Every structure is written in C-alpha cells, then in structure tokens.
Amino acid sequence: PLAVHVAHAARPHFPDGQLYIDLQGAGSHAAQPVAVLGAFLRALGTPDASIPDSLDERAALYRSTLAGRRLLVLLDNARDAAQIRPLLPGTAGCAALVTSRTRMVDLAGAQLIDLDVMSPEEALQLFTRIVGAERVNAEREAALDVVAACGFLPLAIRVAASRLAARRTWTVSVLPHF
C-alpha cells in the first residue's frame, strides 16, 4: 500500500502512465519475468502476435516500446534482483519502484530505502481501520497484544486484522490463539 500511495503521488511526473505487478516473490509461485513482460507489452499496446517467446527478446522489445515515454513501473513484492532485472525500464524518463522483503544490494543503480516497523499507535490505527473501531475499542489491550505479536509489521497486521474482520463472531482476544 505504501508503494501504491507513492506511485499515485508520483503520477504527475509520469504522464504516459504506470505499470503495476505483484511479483509474488514471498510465495512459492513467484511471477516469471517472461510472463510479466508479456503482460506489460500487451498493456503497452503490443499485439500478441508481435510478442516474442524468449525473455531476452521480450525485454528488448519492452525497452524499445518504452523509449521516449515517461512511465513508472511498480514491481511489488519482488523475490530477488534476478527476477526484476529484465523488468527494469532502462530508459531515460522512466523509473521503477520495487518493493521486496530482501535487500537487493546487488542491483546496480538502485537507491535502497529500509522501512522501519510501525509505532504501536500506528499499528493500532491500521488494525482498527480493518477490524473496526467498535471491536478494537472494546478490547484495546488485546488489540495492542495482537499488533505487538505481529512485530508491528504492516503486512502481518493486515493479515491478522483481515482474518479477524472476516470472522464477526471472534473477539480480538481470541485471535492470538489461532
């Protein structure tokens, strides 16, 4: 969500648009660059019949298609640098915003920004937005315990809060036991 917010805020700097993909890098079925490039090329108007089969050819066509454009590419949830290298625009006027759970120190030219965990109050606010103020206010201490058990990490808080929000009969205090 933070990366999407940043991308929306940067929209005026990229008048030719934005491309977004969840690369599913944290899961067991991470997106393959060749498939992502195919989707990007289609989104940029390339007919299916003109999309080459090989990764290298798709990457070259992708970069050629981006030439002269000002476009932002949001590569969310990347597994590693090898997954994203073919997806980087490599063209003046274009930029890539990459999110990952791993530090990609071997990615040339990248500016790395580490995000800290949320404060307890920020974490509780996020949890409350998802679960609802009425439920959280009724069990504030239990809600604080849940966000602390999540390590004040936004993704973990979202998962826990979404699980609770989907189960209207559960109380906040029952959540840590599941």
Side-chain angles (χ1 to χ4, degrees), residues 99-123:
T99 68
S100 179
R101 293 182 186 186
T102 60
R103 290 190 104 241
M104 296 189 201
V105 294
D106 60 336
L107 196 58
Q111 180 178 1
L112 302 177
I113 301 171
D114 291 319
L115 298 180
D116 203 354
V117 298
M118 302 176 96
S119 72
E121 193 55 42
E122 290 169 327

Side-chain angles (χ1 to χ4, degrees), residues 13 15 22 52 100 111 134 150:
H13 301 285
D22 178 354
S100 179
Q111 180 178 1
E134 184 178 322
C150 292

Side-chain angles (χ1 to χ4, degrees), residues 19-41:
L19 294 172
Y20 169 85
I21 185 76
D22 178 354
L23 295 170
Q24 302 172 15
S28 58
H29 300 292
Q32 296 301 310
V34 69
V36 173
L37 285 169
F40 280 178
L41 287 165

Side-chain angles (χ1 to χ4, degrees), residues 91-172:
T91 317
C94 292
L97 178 59
V98 180
T99 68
S100 179
R101 293 182 186 186
T102 60
R103 290 190 104 241
M104 296 189 201
V105 294
D106 60 336
L107 196 58
Q111 180 178 1
L112 302 177
I113 301 171
D114 291 319
L115 298 180
D116 203 354
V117 298
M118 302 176 96
S119 72
E121 193 55 42
E122 290 169 327
L124 188 60
Q125 286 174 4
L126 174 61
F127 188 80
T128 303
R129 276 199 307 265
I130 297 167
V131 172
E134 184 178 322
R135 290 172 83 185
V136 172
N137 291 340
E139 296 182 89
R140 183 175 169 82
E141 288 304 313
L144 284 168
D145 290 344
V146 169
V147 297
C150 292
F152 304 107
L153 296 167
L155 180 59
I157 293 166
R158 284 183 179 282
V159 169
S162 295
R163 189 168 190 195
L164 183 61
R167 291 161 180 87
R168 297 300 304 164
T169 59
W170 284 13
T171 62
V172 175

Side-chain angles (χ1 to χ4, degrees), residues 50-62:
S50 299
I51 298 176
D53 292 329
S54 82
L55 175 64
D56 290 341
E57 289 175 322
R58 283 185 182 195
L61 179 58
Y62 169 66

Side-chain angles (χ1 to χ4, degrees), residues 77-88:
N77 196 12
R79 180 183 56 222
D80 54 29
Q83 183 188 31
I84 65 165
R85 268 191 197 97
L87 309 176
L88 297 174

